Amino acid sequence: EGSNTQNENGIYAGLKLKLSPSWTINTYADLFKFPWMKYLVDAPSTGNEFLFQPTYKPNKQLEIYMRFRQQLRQKNAREQDGLVTPIENVVQRNYRLNISYVVSEFLTLKSRIEYVTIDRPSSPHEDGMIITQDVLFKPKNLPFDLTLRYALFDTDSYDSRIYTYENNALYVFAVPSYYYQGSRAYVLVRYTFLKRFDLWVRYGNFLYNNRSVISSGAEQINGNRKSDITIQLRVKF
């Protein structure tokens, strides 16, 4: 569960079932225990995680999968008496539907809708949702690739945020969190020239509907827009 196995005991088991040429089921169970305190948990704690994901792929062009994942982790309760900090169960459930369709050898469309719920005794029920549409354009006879995304999201707070993978430059791993209410769009272009050079340019933008100030401290933005840009050049010798 953490970056290493310090202060952790657990067991993990995964299973993949090939029911037919078109249907596959992936599932796993993860049980873990922390014998000592950890960040935001002032006592020994336990937890578990379960996933169930059926995938339907009738041909090379279409793939549909559904996913259910439940995570139970123990954290400090938000209601305290000032003497002892009790811990409580925090249950998160994620529901996802993902559709990928290869229109042609150079054009792929990917659509996703995901819904999340958060339940804990010391806070009201929270939920969130995100809808994303990706377009991947990779022509073989042209020196560039193009990736586009548009997303709409709405969550009750940062606690009910949803993480979603984003395409980026080579060796750049991007899984930002989507939270509050708004939209997100980005465009990524890869351009190859002179046989030795590869240039990646990526621009993304968050537009929040219910925020007038984003982040805080040195990262505070006075407004409802947050932009990011990546430029990377690779030279082959």
Side-chain angles (χ1 to χ4, degrees), residues 70-166:
Q70 177 176 294
Q71 303 171 338
L72 186 152
R73 292 175 174 81
Q74 293 183 317
K75 296 183 179 180
N76 290 342
R78 289 176 172 171
E79 295 179 355
Q80 304 175 12
D81 59 8
L83 299 176
V84 178
T85 303
I87 61 174
E88 64 182 6
N89 293 338
V90 180
V91 179
Q92 176 177 327
R93 297 181 178 93
N94 290 70
Y95 308 83
R96 177 187 296 179
L97 173 63
N98 191 91
I99 302 174
S100 178
Y101 182 66
V102 180
V103 180
S104 66
E105 62 178 357
F106 58 84
L107 180 63
T108 301
L109 303 178
K110 295 183 178 181
S111 305
R112 174 181 296 179
I113 180 170
E114 185 161 353
Y115 177 69
V116 60
T117 64
I118 305 289
D119 291 288
R120 60 189 303 173
S122 62
S123 297
H125 170 84
E126 292 191 15
D127 59 14
M129 185 176 69
I130 185 171
I131 301 173
T132 64
Q133 178 62 57
D134 292 352
V135 179
L136 288 75
F137 181 68
K138 298 183 178 182
K140 293 183 178 180
N141 57 343
L142 296 176
F144 70 89
D145 300 336
L146 180 65
T147 303
L148 302 169
R149 166 174 290 180
Y150 183 71
L152 295 172
F153 56 92
D154 187 358
T155 75
D156 288 333
S157 73
Y158 179 77
D159 288 344
S160 50
R161 63 194 179 277
I162 301 176
Y163 290 93
T164 300
Y165 172 81
E166 294 185 353

Side-chain angles (χ1 to χ4, degrees), residues 17-37:
L17 298 174
K18 188 74 173 179
L19 302 180
S20 71
S22 301
W23 283 96
T24 303
I25 292 179
N26 288 280
T27 183
Y28 70 73
D30 188 12
L31 310 176
F32 44 88
K33 178 180 179 180
F34 303 101
W36 191 243
M37 296 180 293

Side-chain angles (χ1 to χ4, degrees), residues 131-230:
I131 301 173
T132 64
Q133 178 62 57
D134 292 352
V135 179
L136 288 75
F137 181 68
K138 298 183 178 182
K140 293 183 178 180
N141 57 343
L142 296 176
F144 70 89
D145 300 336
L146 180 65
T147 303
L148 302 169
R149 166 174 290 180
Y150 183 71
L152 295 172
F153 56 92
D154 187 358
T155 75
D156 288 333
S157 73
Y158 179 77
D159 288 344
S160 50
R161 63 194 179 277
I162 301 176
Y163 290 93
T164 300
Y165 172 81
E166 294 185 353
N167 291 280
N168 211 313
L170 185 66
Y171 306 130
V172 179
F173 187 68
V175 188
S177 56
Y178 292 67
Y179 53 92
Y180 298 138
Q181 184 185 86
S183 61
R184 162 90 170 155
Y186 75 81
V187 55
L188 170 64
V189 179
R190 175 189 175 183
Y191 179 61
T192 302
F193 57 99
L194 301 178
K195 296 183 179 180
R196 294 179 176 272
F197 298 90
D198 291 294
L199 176 66
W200 286 265
V201 179
R202 180 180 185 269
Y203 174 76
N205 181 268
F206 276 103
L207 176 61
Y208 294 93
N209 298 336
N210 58 349
R211 301 282 109 180
S212 58
V213 177
I214 305 171
S215 299
S216 60
E219 296 183 356
Q220 180 172 312
I221 298 173
N222 295 322
N224 66 340
R225 293 177 180 269
K226 181 179 179 180
S227 302
D228 54 271
I229 185 169
T230 301

